[in-house]
Amino acid sequence: MWRREAALRSYDLPEPVPGTTYTLDGRGITDEDALVCALTEAVHGPGLAYPSATPHALGEELSGCTLIWHHAAVARACLGVTPLLAVPRPATFREWVDGLRAAGVRVVLD
């Protein structure tokens, strides 16, 4: 619910500047919604969320930027794990990292 409300306030966000480095605090990233909120907040500040939530779409938003992902082990253990029978299946940690990198984001896992 928080992500949906934050996305409503996030229309017309400025484009991230290529070459910029953003720091992602991964301690609370336990699902896709938490990842999207944390990633948007790292780039644009609190209370905002990108409306799209796929590795490729977010990767395109951040193309040319560097993302330093602290505490990545939390997301590695949680993303894409539950619910196993969800349709569509949520992306795994590896799919997120690979999707961001494929779109031109330099992802540094810490």
Side-chain angles (χ1 to χ4, degrees):
M1 180 193 242
W2 171 251
R3 182 175 140 215
R4 183 173 48 85
E5 292 300 316
L8 291 174
R9 291 189 303 278
S10 301
Y11 60 90
D12 205 23
L13 290 174
E15 294 288 321
V17 178
T20 303
T21 298
Y22 298 103
T23 302
L24 179 62
D25 180 358
R27 289 179 286 187
I29 298 176
T30 57
D31 62 16
E32 184 177 281
D33 289 335
L35 171 61
V36 172
C37 286
L39 187 56
T40 310
E41 288 183 1
V43 176
H44 297 288
L48 301 170
Y50 285 116
S52 55
T54 66
H56 182 73
L58 288 178
E60 285 186 349
E61 286 287 333
L62 297 171
S63 183
C65 297
T66 298
L67 180 65
I68 300 175
W69 191 335
H70 295 288
H71 307 285
V74 174
R76 184 179 283 117
C78 296
L79 289 176
V81 175
T82 56
L84 294 174
L85 300 177
V87 177
R89 179 186 60 76
T92 64
F93 174 79
R94 177 57 40 207
E95 290 168 332
W96 276 102
V97 171
D98 290 347
L100 291 168
R101 287 178 174 160
V105 180
R106 180 173 175 254
V107 180
V108 178
L109 302 175
D110 179 26

